[in-house]
């Protein structure tokens, strides 16, 4: 689509192939904000949305991060573009790293770089949680561990490998690493193999036996909460865990306290999606990680009435007094292909710590919740094309 001559203010939404940007397009497009969806991909399902007013092409951040940044800056410099929303880890990093450059062109509600680094570095994040008095698994770099007698997991130290954090990457390079390895007691893993797999020295965390997983989402303005939200994750990408594919909104004052204490310690600004595990013995909420951007389960958040795309837009326009922080409890929403992935994980995934459910039990639980809570992240009858486009694209890849 070509740029419009309309005087309506526009929001820039960089996006990948995954449809996590859709709630931003839908929420703001319905309210008269022009939406500019920009991507390095040609075939993006959200481009088909009736709420996508304009599309733009970007270089691939995987090929050249600085070229991607410069292209975002050029779009942000347009007179009609008033705000940029961070959708992916690349975006949060670039908007924060080059915060002043972007702020000269359009509003960005992101933390300063020193705060972002404390979140992207899981060792520093654990230290911040301990300072705030918030429960966190014992976290150490792999090279600092010599006792493997307990239950452990090994995972990436950084949410994003970039030159600010590691000396193996130049300013135009970045890499997301999401590997997690479960280590059985008294089994020392192969250090060189793990470092090669993750392209840096990862961390080791104690395994926390959990009964449930939770998310706390927030928008902060210079250290003060503007809006918050909570949900309980019923199912993730796999029966062993992962991003939520079915969740229900809730509220627990203890979760609110723990999360606010941590964000207060970080003197946070902008978006934060914090993942927690509930310890099955103590009931304490243990920190998993923080995502400083819009999150995978954003559609279910918005369906419960916590409209974070609108809230972000209002804050970027100095209209925080118009933000409604209330939301409805007990609202569930499904990521349909994620539910299929969860079902498939029962057959394919394995963990020494999480008991595998039966296929029949899993299928029944998914079916029951779909009937009881018939809300879906991206299947919308008034805007079906993004969902159909995504299905067709998935099928074409499997041919």
């Amino acid at each position: 689509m070509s740029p419009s001559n309309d005087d309506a203010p526009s929001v820039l939404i960089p996006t990948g192939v995954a449809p996590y940007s859709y709630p931003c397009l839908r929420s703001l497009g319905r309210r008269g904000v022009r939406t500019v969806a920009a991507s390095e991909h040609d075939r993006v399902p959200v481009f088909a949305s009736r709420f996508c007013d304009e599309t733009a092409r970007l270089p691939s951040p995987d090929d050249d991060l600085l070229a991607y940044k410069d292209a975002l800056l050029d779009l942000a410099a347009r007179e009609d573009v008033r705000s940029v929303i961070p959708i992916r880890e690349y975006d949060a990093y670039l908007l924060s790293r080059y915060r002043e450059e972007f702020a000269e062109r359009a509003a960005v509600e992101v933390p300063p770089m020193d705060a972002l680094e404390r979140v992207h570095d899981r060792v520093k994040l654990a230290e911040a949680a301990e300072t705030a008095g918030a429960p966190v698994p014992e976290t150490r770099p792999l090279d600092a561990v010599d006792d493997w007698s307990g239950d452990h997991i090994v995972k990436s130290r950084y949410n994003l490998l970039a030159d600010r954090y590691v000396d193996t990457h130049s300013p135009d390079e970045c890499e997301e690493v999401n590997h997690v390895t479960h280590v059985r007691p008294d089994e020392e893993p192969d250090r060189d193999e793990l470092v090669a797999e993750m392209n840096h020295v990862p961390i080791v965390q104690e395994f926390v036996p959990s009964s449930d997983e939770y998310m706390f989402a927030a928008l902060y303005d210079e250290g003060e909460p503007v809006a918050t939200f909570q949900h309980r994750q019923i199912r993730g990408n796999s029966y062993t865990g992962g991003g939520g594919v079915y969740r229900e909104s809730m509220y627990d004052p203890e979760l609110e306290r723990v999360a606010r204490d941590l964000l207060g310690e970080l003197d946070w600004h902008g978006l934060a999606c914090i993942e927690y595990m509930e310890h099955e013995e103590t009931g304490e909420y243990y920190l998993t990680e923080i995502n400083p951007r819009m999150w995978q389960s954003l559609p279910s958040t918005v369906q419960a009435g916590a409209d974070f795309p609108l809230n972000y837009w209002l804050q970027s326009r100095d209209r925080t007094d118009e933000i409604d922080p209330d939301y409805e409890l007990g609202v569930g929403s499904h990521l349909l292909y994620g539910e299929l992935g969860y079902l498939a994980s029962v057959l394919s995934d394995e963990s020494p710590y999480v008991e595998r459910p039966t296929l029949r039990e899993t299928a029944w639980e998914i079916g029951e919740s779909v009937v009881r809570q018939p809300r879906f992240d991206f299947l919308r009858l008034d805007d079906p094309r993004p969902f159909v486009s995504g299905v067709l694209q998935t099928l074409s890849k499997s041919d």
Side-chain angles (χ1 to χ4, degrees):
M1 299 180 187
S2 58
S4 167
N5 294 322
D6 196 340
D7 292 333
S10 301
V11 59
L12 175 58
I13 306 171
T15 181
V17 173
Y20 306 135
S21 58
Y22 178 71
C24 298
L25 294 165
R26 182 181 180 88
S27 174
L28 295 174
R30 293 171 64 195
R31 291 172 171 83
V33 180
R34 291 195 69 257
T35 58
V36 182
S39 180
E40 67 273 22
H41 303 286
D42 292 322
R43 298 174 62 191
V44 179
V46 299
F47 284 179
S49 172
R50 59 181 283 222
F51 301 108
C52 180
D53 294 309
E54 180 186 340
T55 63
R57 180 69 188 224
L58 295 170
S60 170
D62 294 313
D63 293 340
D64 190 330
L65 187 63
L66 292 183
Y68 177 83
K69 182 264 292 186
D70 290 340
L72 278 182
L73 279 170
D74 287 343
L75 288 170
R78 283 179 20 181
E79 186 175 350
D80 62 306
V81 173
R82 308 295 171 80
S83 182
V84 186
I85 298 180
I87 300 295
R88 297 179 290 179
E89 219 65 45
Y90 308 119
D91 307 319
Y93 174 78
L94 289 173
L95 294 178
S96 184
R97 177 78 186 269
Y98 303 99
R99 194 181 188 205
E100 293 184 4
E101 289 185 56
F102 278 98
E104 289 174 356
R105 295 161 173 80
V108 289
E109 300 300 320
V110 294
M113 194 63 214
D114 58 344
L116 183 70
E117 185 172 359
R118 294 178 75 188
V119 163
H120 270 169
D121 183 339
R122 291 187 170 107
V123 172
K124 293 183 178 180
L125 179 58
E127 292 171 351
E130 290 174 355
T131 301
V136 61
E138 182 182 15
T139 303
R140 292 173 290 170
L142 174 62
D143 291 342
V145 179
D146 53 20
D147 180 4
W148 295 93
S149 58
D151 295 334
H152 300 89
I153 60 172
V154 180
K155 62 183 180 181
S156 169
R157 174 169 179 168
Y158 300 97
N159 290 48
L160 184 77
L161 300 185
D163 77 304
R164 174 74 183 224
Y165 307 142
V166 294
D167 59 11
T168 54
H169 289 57
S170 64
D172 62 353
E173 294 177 317
C174 66
E175 178 184 0
E176 287 192 75
V177 182
N178 299 310
H179 304 299
V180 177
T181 300
H182 290 206
V183 183
R184 297 178 185 274
D186 300 316
E187 273 189 17
E188 182 173 353
D190 186 316
R191 178 200 181 277
D192 293 339
E193 183 178 309
L194 287 169
V195 172
E197 181 183 33
M198 302 195 194
N199 213 8
H200 72 297
V201 178
I203 60 166
V204 178
Q205 287 187 329
E206 66 170 317
F207 174 76
V208 175
S210 61
S211 55
D212 281 300
E213 296 182 31
Y214 297 84
M215 185 195 77
F216 175 91
L219 177 65
Y220 265 60
D221 186 7
E222 304 296 343
E224 295 298 324
V226 175
T228 66
F229 172 82
Q230 301 175 22
H231 76 219
R232 182 168 73 93
Q233 178 173 304
I234 313 297
R235 285 183 292 277
N237 296 325
S238 165
Y239 82 90
T240 64
V245 300
Y246 177 61
R247 339 80 178 164
E248 293 184 2
S249 58
M250 51 155 286
Y251 177 79
D252 184 341
E254 178 60 17
L255 179 57
E256 188 86 11
R257 182 194 67 78
V258 169
R260 288 197 181 197
D261 285 349
L262 175 56
L263 292 174
E265 165 61 26
L266 294 168
D267 193 24
W268 196 250
H269 182 82
L271 297 163
C273 165
I274 315 181
E275 297 176 10
Y276 285 96
M277 302 173 288
E278 183 180 21
H279 198 293
E280 68 178 10
E281 296 175 0
T282 68
E284 293 178 293
Y285 290 110
Y286 271 69
L287 172 67
T288 302
E289 65 177 6
I290 298 180
N291 296 308
R293 52 172 171 75
M294 293 297 182
W295 43 95
Q296 174 177 311
S297 57
L298 180 63
S300 68
T301 308
V302 175
Q303 291 203 56
D307 197 335
F308 278 89
L310 176 61
N311 296 344
Y312 183 98
W313 171 258
L314 291 174
Q315 180 166 309
S316 73
R317 305 291 291 148
D318 294 323
R319 294 161 56 188
T320 53
D321 59 311
E322 299 177 36
I323 292 176
D324 180 3
D326 292 335
Y327 61 92
E328 185 179 351
L329 304 182
V331 175
S333 182
H334 306 262
L335 178 62
L336 281 179
Y337 63 79
E339 293 277 36
L340 293 176
Y342 181 90
L343 189 64
S345 77
V346 175
L347 299 174
S348 60
D349 293 353
E350 185 176 352
S351 170
Y353 304 130
V354 183
E355 183 179 354
R356 184 195 303 270
T358 67
L359 189 64
R360 176 178 294 183
E361 174 189 12
T362 302
W364 171 260
E365 289 177 353
I366 293 174
E368 183 277 333
S369 62
V370 166
V371 172
R372 180 170 50 86
Q373 296 269 16
R375 301 180 186 87
F376 308 100
D377 287 6
F378 305 113
L379 177 58
R380 307 301 289 263
L381 295 181
D382 64 345
D383 190 25
R385 290 185 299 173
F387 181 81
V388 173
S389 175
V391 170
L392 293 176
Q393 190 164 331
T394 301
L395 292 175
S396 69
K397 289 180 180 179
S398 63
D399 290 342

